[in-house]
Amino acid sequence: DHFAGERPFDQLEGQMSALRLAAATYLLMPGTPFIYYGEEIGMAGAKNLKGDHRLRTPMSWTGDLLAAGFSEVAPFRALSANAQRHHVQLQESQPGSLLNHYRQLIALRNSQPALMKGSYEHVLVRGTTLVFHRRWVGEHLVVMFNYSRKPAEVAVDHLSPQAQLRQLGGPVQTASDRVVREGKVMMRLPAQTFGVWAVDVSR
């Protein structure tokens, strides 16, 4: 196998907000998602291994020091470097865990045809923000990201003048004005957050 690079936890230096944003960016864009085992709990690579072997540590099911719940005996390969702190058993019981963040994103994707198979339109990158639209058979969604460590104003256009935005996913956020005027609206996103909004049009 060709070495694919470090695990996301190692690439992002264990920053949970960045890991959440990376997951949301990936799962809300078009294409078929592929989650390499352990990404959903923030597994790190093994400390004393290099290359591809560093990525292929036993899955961290528990915080057990011997095998992390992978087996009843010491496994062939070293455990993930953070197996004691990042494992399924612990994150199952934490509503705000990375594991449950992945589950919520996948459930959202599966509930919205526009996210599963819709178009990818009107992509706008401005500074630390990203906005794009997803559409499918009458369904219109807007997805917004703020990658900055500071709040950001996000401009959204290509909307109907009669539209209103209804939040479907992401941390609950308040906005000074969700009513669209002249096909545009300004949204304020907190630092390192994202949101998914349905575009509702009055009939």
Coordinates of all heavy atoms in Angstrom, one line a residue, residues 10 19 29 31 45 51 65 72 91 99 101 110 120 129 131-132 138 144 179 198:
D10 N -3.6 13.4 14.0 CA -2.2 13.8 14.0 C -2.0 15.0 13.1 O -1.2 16.0 13.5 CB -1.3 12.7 13.6 CG -1.4 11.5 14.6 OD1 -1.4 11.8 15.8 OD2 -1.5 10.4 14.2
L19 N -11.2 18.9 13.9 CA -11.6 17.6 13.4 C -13.1 17.5 13.1 O -13.5 16.9 12.2 CB -11.3 16.5 14.5 CG -9.8 16.1 14.7 CD1 -9.6 15.4 16.0 CD2 -9.5 15.2 13.5
M29 N -20.2 17.5 1.4 CA -19.9 17.8 0.0 C -20.4 16.6 -0.8 O -20.7 15.5 -0.3 CB -18.4 18.0 -0.2 CG -17.9 19.3 0.3 SD -16.2 19.6 -0.2 CE -16.1 21.4 0.1
G31 N -20.3 13.4 -3.5 CA -19.4 12.2 -3.6 C -19.8 11.2 -2.6 O -20.7 11.4 -1.7
G45 N -2.2 7.9 15.3 CA -1.3 6.8 14.8 C -0.5 6.2 16.0 O -0.5 6.8 17.1
G51 N 5.2 5.2 8.5 CA 4.5 4.8 7.2 C 3.2 4.3 7.4 O 2.4 4.6 8.4
L65 N -5.5 -1.0 28.5 CA -4.1 -0.8 28.2 C -3.5 -1.9 27.4 O -2.5 -1.7 26.6 CB -3.3 -0.6 29.5 CG -3.5 0.7 30.2 CD1 -2.8 0.7 31.6 CD2 -3.0 1.9 29.4
E72 N -8.5 -10.2 23.3 CA -8.3 -10.6 24.7 C -6.8 -10.7 25.1 O -6.5 -11.0 26.2 CB -9.1 -11.8 25.1 CG -10.6 -11.7 25.0 CD -11.3 -12.9 25.4 OE1 -10.7 -14.0 25.6 OE2 -12.6 -12.9 25.4
Q91 N -16.8 7.5 24.2 CA -17.6 8.4 23.4 C -19.0 8.1 23.2 O -19.9 8.9 22.9 CB -16.8 8.6 22.0 CG -15.5 9.3 22.2 CD -14.9 9.8 20.9 OE1 -15.6 10.1 19.9 NE2 -13.6 9.8 20.8
L99 N -17.5 10.9 18.0 CA -18.3 9.8 17.4 C -19.7 10.2 17.2 O -20.3 9.9 16.1 CB -18.2 8.6 18.4 CG -19.1 7.4 18.1 CD1 -18.7 6.8 16.7 CD2 -19.0 6.4 19.2
H101 N -20.9 13.2 16.8 CA -20.8 14.2 15.8 C -20.9 13.6 14.4 O -21.7 14.0 13.5 CB -19.5 15.1 15.9 CG -19.3 16.1 14.9 ND1 -20.1 17.2 14.7 CD2 -18.4 16.1 13.9 CE1 -19.6 17.9 13.7 NE2 -18.6 17.3 13.2
N110 N -28.2 11.4 5.3 CA -29.1 10.4 4.8 C -30.5 10.9 4.8 O -31.4 10.3 4.1 CB -29.0 9.2 5.7 CG -27.7 8.4 5.5 OD1 -27.1 8.5 4.5 ND2 -27.4 7.6 6.5
Y120 N -23.9 20.7 -6.7 CA -22.9 21.4 -5.9 C -22.7 22.8 -6.6 O -22.1 22.8 -7.7 CB -21.7 20.6 -5.8 CG -20.5 21.2 -5.0 CD1 -20.7 21.5 -3.7 CD2 -19.3 21.5 -5.7 CE1 -19.6 22.1 -3.0 CE2 -18.2 22.0 -4.9 CZ -18.4 22.3 -3.6 OH -17.3 22.8 -2.9
T129 N -14.1 31.6 5.2 CA -15.4 31.1 5.1 C -15.6 30.3 3.7 O -15.0 30.6 2.7 CB -16.5 32.2 5.2 OG1 -16.4 33.1 4.1 CG2 -16.4 32.9 6.5
V131 N -19.0 28.8 1.4 CA -20.5 28.6 1.3 C -20.7 27.9 0.0 O -20.0 28.1 -1.0 CB -21.2 30.0 1.2 CG1 -22.7 29.8 1.0 CG2 -20.9 30.8 2.4
F132 N -21.6 26.9 0.0 CA -22.1 26.3 -1.2 C -23.5 25.9 -1.1 O -24.1 25.8 0.0 CB -21.2 25.1 -1.6 CG -21.0 24.0 -0.6 CD1 -21.9 23.0 -0.4 CD2 -19.9 24.0 0.2 CE1 -21.8 22.0 0.5 CE2 -19.7 23.0 1.2 CZ -20.6 22.0 1.3
G138 N -36.4 20.1 -6.2 CA -37.2 21.0 -5.4 C -36.6 21.3 -4.0 O -37.1 22.1 -3.3
M144 N -22.7 26.3 5.1 CA -21.7 27.4 5.4 C -20.7 26.9 6.4 O -21.1 26.2 7.4 CB -22.5 28.6 6.0 CG -23.6 29.1 5.1 SD -24.5 30.5 6.0 CE -26.1 30.2 5.4
V179 N -34.1 36.6 7.1 CA -35.0 36.9 6.0 C -34.3 37.4 4.8 O -33.5 38.4 5.0 CB -36.1 37.9 6.5 CG1 -37.0 38.3 5.4 CG2 -36.8 37.4 7.7
A198 N -32.0 24.9 5.2 CA -33.0 24.6 4.2 C -33.5 26.0 3.7 O -33.8 26.9 4.5 CB -34.1 23.8 4.6

